[in-house]
Amino acid sequence: MEFCERSPTPRGLAIFELGQAVHDWVCGYLAAAFGERFHSVEREVELEVAPGLCVRGHTDGIFETGEGPLLLDIKTASARSAQRMHEQGVPIARKRPLGRPSED
C-alpha cells in the first residue's frame, strides 16, 4: 500500500478542528449532565463480544450503568453524510432537549 504525502488544506484543517471542538463539547456536556456515571477517557480498548472473539477499537468515554459499562465513541458527520448512513441502516440517536438527559 502506498500513501501520498500531502499537506492538509485550510478547509480540511478547519473541518478537523470543528470536529474536535464538537467532540470536546459533547464530552464536557456528558460529564456535567451525568456526573460520576460518565468518564471521559480516550484510549484504545479490547472488548470481548463473544467467547473468544475480541474487537479492538477506540473509546471516547465510558458510561457506568446498572448492567455494566457502556463504551462511547463520538463521531461527527455532515447532515448529508448522516442521512446517507441512516438510509444504510445506521440508527439515528434519539433527540432530547439539552440539559435533560434520560436515566436509561
Side-chain angles (χ1 to χ4, degrees):
M1 178 179 282
E2 202 172 304
F3 295 97
C4 59
E5 298 272 336
R6 293 191 328 203
S7 297
T9 64
R11 181 176 185 271
L13 286 173
I15 290 169
F16 178 80
E17 289 175 5
L18 177 60
Q20 189 63 48
V22 170
H23 175 278
D24 293 345
W25 179 83
V26 168
C27 282
Y29 171 77
L30 292 172
F34 291 98
E36 296 292 318
R37 291 178 51 202
F38 176 72
H39 309 282
S40 179
V41 291
E42 294 185 35
R43 66 177 182 211
E44 295 297 314
V45 296
E46 187 173 285
L47 180 66
E48 186 172 6
V49 295
L53 179 60
C54 292
V55 176
R56 290 184 185 164
H58 176 86
T59 185
D60 293 313
I62 301 171
F63 278 104
E64 297 295 339
T65 71
E67 298 175 15
L70 180 72
L71 300 179
L72 173 71
D73 187 18
I74 299 169
K75 298 294 182 204
T76 56
S78 68
R80 186 171 141 194
S81 293
Q83 181 61 37
R84 217 171 322 139
M85 287 185 283
H86 180 64
E87 289 168 359
Q88 293 174 0
V90 176
I92 294 178
R94 293 177 294 169
K95 296 179 182 178
R96 293 189 192 98
L98 290 179
R100 305 185 78 192
S102 91
E103 291 297 320
D104 51 29

